[in-house]
Amino acid sequence: MIASPYLLYLGHVNDEVGIKTSRGLAVFRPDDCVGEFRHDDCELTLGLPRMGFAEAVAAGARTLVLGIANAGGKMGDDLVRDAVAAIEAGLDVASGLHNRLRDEPALVETAGRHGRTLHDVRDPRPDIPIGNGKPRAGKRLLAVGTDCSVGKMYATLCLERAMHARGMKADFRATGQTGILIAGSGVPLDAVIADFISGAIEQLSPPRDDDGWDLIEGQGSLFHPSFAGVSTGLLHGAQPDALLLCHDPVRPHMRGLPHYPMPGLRETLDANLQVARLTNPDVRAVGVALNTSKLSAAEAERLCAETADALGLPCTDPFSMGVDPIIDWIVKCFEPSPRKATLSL
Amino acid sequence: MIASPYLLYLGHVNDEVGIKTSRGLAVFRPDDCVGEFRHDDCELTLGLPRMGFAEAVAAGARTLVLGIANAGGKMGDDLVRDAVAAIEAGLDVASGLHNRLRDEPALVETAGRHGRTLHDVRDPRPDIPIGNGKPRAGKRLLAVGTDCSVGKMYATLCLERAMHARGMKADFRATGQTGILIAGSGVPLDAVIADFISGAIEQLSPPRDDDGWDLIEGQGSLFHPSFAGVSTGLLHGAQPDALLLCHDPVRPHMRGLPHYPMPGLRETLDANLQVARLTNPDVRAVGVALNTSKLSAAEAERLCAETADALGLPCTDPFSMGVDPIIDWIVKCFEPSPRKATLSL
């Protein structure tokens, strides 16, 4: 487990996508974030107090989270220098970058000398089994998308928060580095060996019998030619009872692939239901989550209403409008199983 | 490249499935196999002369191929002892086992001392790109199956051999350890990191403009809940023009999963065509390959005829009946592009 509270690293980054992991933590774990570290040339902020490393330690921080993405996942000299200084000030370091902290000799040496811990959240655990597809107890929801990065993690985390507010049992199950840092555990699915994709999800989301929900973070898209294999294995391993369809209505084409148009919502839903039925024939769709951050409130309302009509499912922007219609629908579709009578003799 | 000719290892194995890699080499590269090595308690044979290591070296062998599979892919003490003796006699060692030769100190030490090479064919190359799905030149056929281990590799290798016999250009592209040992190169797809499945196939089968075919070895099945992610990424990376559907008509249920029934042939074909269309909208089926080794000749003939009628495609057992009807169909479907006029002035 990664020790909290956190100091969130922005460094020299100046594009929003580049700090999305740090921002995810600030949004979904605000109580665990004491401040942000940024250099003078960084013009972004998470709205947290700006702090140096010693100052953060004095404020209670225990881990510097390198919540940034840079081209190719590489660790630049700047980043290593900052992380060394953080360790020397008394912080552990956690990273979701492709390049591993443990492969940087300066970090390993400094952490060893100061008795600090380095967390590479993109290292899968070593004991992932081959998936077996055996039906397992419990209720599971999986977020699926028309594309990568359309808001699957945000939608799932909003759902968890709102279910908790209603007194429902629900646990977010993380499958990407940002989600893992937010949840404190999970599987970095994109780093798992191909034969173990579905097994990794069976391990992540074991049988449960408490009438609670596992809310599994989706990855990629069945329509993304680079990553559909991951999405397929994730669907099979999740054995989802419920699918939440996520979409970004202003995305012009598949992420990174101008030669691939976005698929339609109905087409996406049908394909996901078809693949999911292999391991759970009773799977059903429970709602649509739109990322309307680039639309006006009126446009967003209209688009959600039109989408709900077209698909016959509740549709909302989980982040700006909440997820109540979707939870209502889930409750309606999945009546709680009758309690087993317990005899005390 | 792995130096030939080979000595094929059977060791103590006594089930046919356990020696399938050695048998694959004996069947498809007979001219490169000088003998087989087996202990007295091994009752199987590939029909090759039985040899000790020194005898094999004297007969020209250059590499001992550990073409066996044992439970969990583990390397037992016996196996290591035999491999050490082979190295000391002057042989390189090649293995497709999950456990790596390079992780056995005794092998590394002995090979180093004698200047011999250890080949772990399950190590993917380090420079596999993320797939991009961009249309590329050339004609590609992919074998797809109702299940794992239904004869996809055999069908593809039979097709390559028969195309060569007709003077057609065709290259088998291996995606599993047996295929890699037979072809001398390829990608061990089950050992690739999940995000790189389709990219690995784009790299394996680059654009070609010589009117020849890449014949890509299939893996798994869209209907196998453990491995469908691999099959999906393989379909997208292959951008196949042609699908060859492979099936074992006596398989009672999905391999290793008694709770999963076998899918139908039409269902399997439709699902594969649908997934393949994402990266090649013009993909089409060109035939059905049945593994009829457990049927009488009359039953096999009847089943192939019935299947051909039902699906409207040529159907044959490639190994026992040849693949002529399938090649005829391929030639009919994919007329050679008109030769470009070359002016010599």
Side-chain angles (χ1 to χ4, degrees):
Chain A
M1 290 295 288
I2 300 168
S4 61
Y6 307 137
L7 175 68
L8 302 178
Y9 187 82
L10 304 183
H12 298 279
V13 181
N14 261 316
D15 67 296
E16 269 297 334
V17 173
I19 62 162
K20 72 173 189 172
T21 296
S22 285
R23 186 171 296 284
L25 279 162
V27 170
F28 289 103
R29 292 194 56 181
D31 297 344
D32 288 321
C33 302
V34 299
E36 62 188 41
F37 176 94
R38 53 188 167 88
H39 289 285
D40 289 341
D41 60 353
C42 168
E43 294 171 5
L44 303 173
T45 177
L46 305 171
L48 294 169
R50 182 178 176 187
M51 293 181 180
F53 301 125
E55 204 178 345
V57 171
R62 297 184 58 196
T63 302
L64 173 69
V65 178
L66 301 178
I68 60 167
N70 33 11
K74 288 251 187 323
M75 247 173 255
D77 291 344
D78 275 5
L79 187 63
V80 173
R81 208 159 35 230
D82 286 341
V84 164
I87 295 167
E88 286 172 340
L91 294 166
D92 290 346
V93 179
S95 160
L97 295 169
H98 262 297
N99 283 39
R100 306 302 203 262
L101 299 172
R102 63 176 149 74
D103 291 333
E104 290 290 336
L107 295 180
V108 174
E109 189 275 320
T110 311
R113 191 152 39 84
H114 290 267
R116 307 306 332 168
T117 305
L118 304 176
H119 297 279
D120 282 305
V121 305
R122 261 202 165 110
D123 281 343
R125 51 193 280 187
D127 62 343
I128 298 176
I130 297 273
N132 61 44
K134 284 188 189 156
R136 59 191 193 275
K139 289 181 293 193
R140 285 171 297 278
L141 175 143
L142 174 67
V144 297
T146 48
D147 195 4
C148 305
S149 305
V150 292
K152 293 187 283 285
M153 186 193 78
Y154 267 64
T156 312
L157 285 163
C158 289
L159 201 59
E160 182 194 39
R161 186 180 279 182
M163 282 178 151
H164 288 176
R166 290 203 193 187
M168 297 170 74
K169 293 194 194 80
D171 294 284
F172 173 70
R173 303 293 184 196
T175 60
Q177 70 274 17
T178 304
I180 293 169
L181 284 163
I182 291 171
S185 66
V187 60
L189 201 59
D190 64 357
V192 167
I193 299 287
D195 255 10
F196 298 89
I197 304 171
S198 65
I201 303 302
E202 293 179 1
Q203 183 183 59
L204 173 74
S205 173
R208 67 185 291 173
D209 59 4
D210 63 350
D211 261 339
W213 282 86
D214 272 8
L215 308 174
I216 303 174
E217 181 187 4
Q219 292 295 335
S221 161
L222 292 183
F223 293 87
H224 198 296
S226 311
F227 307 118
V230 175
S231 309
T232 299
L234 176 44
L235 272 161
H236 287 163
Q239 287 181 20
D241 302 280
L243 294 184
L244 176 62
L245 176 61
C246 303
H247 179 58
D248 175 351
V250 300
R251 180 77 53 96
H253 54 69
M254 296 300 281
R255 185 173 167 85
L257 303 176
H259 45 305
Y260 279 90
M262 295 286 283
L265 286 174
R266 167 57 64 196
E267 181 184 13
T268 303
L269 199 52
D270 288 347
N272 278 278
L273 287 167
Q274 184 186 334
V275 170
R277 277 188 199 109
L278 182 71
T279 57
N280 187 347
D282 298 326
V283 61
R284 53 190 300 174
V286 294
V288 184
L290 298 181
N291 174 351
T292 64
S293 54
K294 304 248 171 29
L295 306 180
S296 71
E299 283 172 322
E301 287 284 353
R302 186 179 49 75
L303 189 63
C304 285
E306 283 176 8
T307 304
D309 274 356
L311 295 182
L313 289 169
C315 177
T316 172
D317 181 324
F319 198 65
S320 63
M321 305 173 183
V323 289
D324 276 335
I326 294 173
I327 297 183
D328 292 342
W329 190 265
I330 289 172
V331 170
K332 198 176 129 196
C333 293
F334 300 89
E335 294 292 312
S337 54
R339 284 186 183 283
K340 293 187 189 71
T342 310
L343 287 181
S344 310
L345 297 176
Chain B
M1 289 298 286
I2 300 168
S4 61
Y6 307 138
L7 175 66
L8 303 178
Y9 186 82
L10 304 183
H12 298 280
V13 181
N14 261 316
D15 68 296
E16 268 298 333
V17 174
I19 61 161
K20 71 174 190 173
T21 296
S22 285
R23 187 172 295 284
L25 280 161
V27 169
F28 289 104
R29 292 193 56 179
D31 297 345
D32 288 321
C33 301
V34 298
E36 61 188 41
F37 177 94
R38 54 188 166 86
H39 289 286
D40 288 340
D41 61 352
C42 169
E43 295 172 5
L44 302 173
T45 178
L46 304 171
L48 294 170
R50 183 178 175 187
M51 291 180 181
F53 301 125
E55 204 178 342
V57 170
R62 298 185 58 196
T63 302
L64 173 69
V65 178
L66 302 177
I68 60 166
N70 33 12
K74 289 252 187 321
M75 248 174 255
D77 291 344
D78 275 4
L79 187 63
V80 172
R81 207 159 36 230
D82 286 341
V84 164
I87 295 167
E88 285 173 341
L91 294 166
D92 290 348
V93 179
S95 161
L97 295 168
H98 262 296
N99 283 41
R100 305 305 202 260
L101 300 173
R102 64 175 149 75
D103 292 334
E104 291 290 336
L107 295 181
V108 173
E109 189 274 321
T110 311
R113 191 151 39 84
H114 290 268
R116 309 302 336 163
T117 304
L118 303 177
H119 297 279
D120 282 306
V121 304
R122 259 201 165 107
D123 282 342
R125 51 192 280 186
D127 62 341
I128 298 177
I130 297 271
N132 61 43
K134 284 187 191 157
R136 60 191 193 278
K139 288 181 292 193
R140 283 170 299 279
L141 175 144
L142 174 66
V144 298
T146 48
D147 195 2
C148 307
S149 306
V150 292
K152 293 187 281 287
M153 186 192 78
Y154 268 64
T156 313
L157 284 164
C158 288
L159 202 58
E160 183 195 38
R161 186 180 281 183
M163 283 177 149
H164 287 175
R166 288 203 194 187
M168 296 170 75
K169 293 194 194 83
D171 294 285
F172 174 69
R173 303 294 185 195
T175 60
Q177 71 273 17
T178 304
I180 294 169
L181 283 163
I182 292 171
S185 66
V187 60
L189 200 60
D190 64 358
V192 166
I193 299 286
D195 255 11
F196 298 88
I197 305 171
S198 65
I201 303 301
E202 293 179 2
Q203 184 183 56
L204 174 73
S205 173
R208 66 186 292 171
D209 59 4
D210 63 351
D211 259 339
W213 282 86
D214 272 7
L215 308 174
I216 303 174
E217 182 188 2
Q219 291 295 334
S221 161
L222 292 183
F223 293 88
H224 198 296
S226 312
F227 308 119
V230 174
S231 309
T232 299
L234 176 45
L235 271 161
H236 288 162
Q239 288 182 19
D241 302 279
L243 294 184
L244 175 61
L245 176 61
C246 303
H247 179 57
D248 176 351
V250 300
R251 180 76 52 96
H253 55 70
M254 295 300 280
R255 186 174 165 84
L257 304 176
H259 45 303
Y260 279 90
M262 295 285 284
L265 286 173
R266 166 59 64 198
E267 181 184 13
T268 303
L269 199 52
D270 287 348
N272 277 280
L273 287 167
Q274 183 185 333
V275 170
R277 277 186 199 108
L278 182 70
T279 56
N280 188 348
D282 297 326
V283 61
R284 56 189 298 175
V286 293
V288 184
L290 298 182
N291 174 351
T292 64
S293 54
K294 304 248 173 25
L295 305 180
S296 70
E299 284 172 323
E301 287 285 351
R302 186 180 48 76
L303 188 64
C304 285
E306 283 175 10
T307 305
D309 272 357
L311 295 181
L313 289 169
C315 177
T316 172
D317 180 326
F319 198 65
S320 63
M321 306 174 182
V323 289
D324 276 337
I326 295 174
I327 299 183
D328 291 342
W329 191 267
I330 289 172
V331 170
K332 198 176 129 195
C333 292
F334 301 89
E335 293 291 312
S337 54
R339 286 187 181 281
K340 293 184 189 74
T342 309
L343 288 180
S344 309
L345 295 176

